[in-house]
Amino acid sequence: MSQGAIIDGAAFAAGLRGRVAEGVTAFRDRAGRAPGLAVVLVGEDPASQVYVRSKGKATVEAGMLSFEHKLPADTSQDDLLALVRQLNADATVDGILVQLPLPKQIDEQAVIEAIDPAKDVDGFHPVNAGRLASGLDSFVPCTPLGCLMLLKDRLGDLSGLDAVVIGRSNIVGKPMAQLLLRESCTVTIAHSRTRDLADVVRRADIVVAAVGRPRMVKGDWLKPGATVIDVGINRVDAGEGKTRLVGDVDFESALPLAGAITPVPKGVGPMTIAVLLRNTLVGACRRDGLDVPAGL
Ligand code: GUN
């Protein structure tokens, strides 16, 4: 277990990416092929373009095949569904990620449900969400699984701890709560309608903030010694025409009270891509009937 108040997500993610790269080498020796990840981007959203470029680069660095599909912003739902079906049928593709959000003419849920659950490295398909909720093997969404890895690295056994997850999205809040329940935490899911959020947070040994509201969680809400995981990435005005990234937690006031806290940036953010690579390797091992390497 690591020590120190600030959790270095970037360092943990670098270590995980190294372990994935070793696992990929072993997979290639045994399977005679490299794992493949297909990433689909529809339109030209600048933030999504940056994410997709980083994912492709990290995939190649891990020794895997990267297939990038860039479609115009006016792509029809039928054309996108046809591409997803083609990737489902492609034996060289182990993981499929359709970057969200999608343009308004496309029904996101229909696209998520078209992806083969065995290639759903995002873990967004209802089959995978349902399997996670039922305690079965499944793909788990990358960001919450990354948060859980950081928590276990810091705290070891989580059994019996009080955990509060702020946010109830399908991408972070709900799967995060399921993962913490699986670790035998007592889990509360708070959200925009929660009454007296400060009082709920004050009871928690673990706080996971995933609401998308800059610096919303204040230091004096925390139980002293609590472990704080900040999933928020909010761009705010920093004066003089500049902007900077802040989390959902007010870092300056939280740091003196928290037992440990993830910073923004370099906290949870780097974990998401590292876990995506991990999920892709795990998917490839499952598809080829090979054991998943230990330590992933
Ligand atoms: N957009 C922002 N985060 C994610 C993610 O984890 N997966 C996908 N597919 N789209 C995203």
Side-chain angles (χ1 to χ4, degrees), residues 3-142:
Q3 296 295 313
I6 298 180
I7 297 174
D8 189 344
F12 191 95
L16 176 58
R17 281 169 64 164
R19 295 195 295 282
V20 170
E22 285 168 19
V24 168
T25 303
F27 177 89
R28 291 168 73 141
D29 285 346
R30 286 186 293 168
R33 69 181 189 94
L37 173 64
V39 175
V40 181
L41 174 64
V42 185
E44 270 129 44
D45 177 64
S48 293
Q49 282 178 325
V50 173
Y51 287 135
V52 166
R53 209 174 308 129
S54 314
K55 284 168 187 169
K57 188 163 164 273
T59 304
V60 172
E61 279 171 10
M64 303 199 264
L65 302 175
S66 169
F67 308 103
E68 280 184 35
H69 295 266
K70 294 187 176 158
L71 306 180
D74 62 357
T75 298
S76 70
Q77 177 159 323
D78 282 351
D79 285 352
L80 180 56
L81 290 175
L83 173 59
V84 168
R85 282 188 214 106
Q86 180 197 316
L87 296 172
N88 284 343
D90 185 337
T92 65
V93 172
D94 297 287
I96 302 169
L97 181 146
V98 179
Q99 185 69 27
L100 304 179
L102 289 166
K104 57 182 180 323
Q105 75 275 14
I106 297 175
D107 174 359
E108 274 183 8
Q109 195 59 28
V111 175
I112 289 170
E113 291 186 30
I115 295 172
D116 179 349
K119 297 188 176 187
D120 170 37
V121 284
D122 259 329
F124 295 165
H125 193 290
V127 165
N128 282 314
R131 289 182 66 89
L132 174 62
S134 302
L136 302 170
D137 260 356
S138 67
F139 280 117
V140 177
C142 302

Side-chain angles (χ1 to χ4, degrees), residues 275-286:
V275 175
L276 173 66
L277 303 175
R278 179 249 177 224
N279 281 357
T280 304
L281 174 59
V282 168
C285 290
R286 284 197 199 128

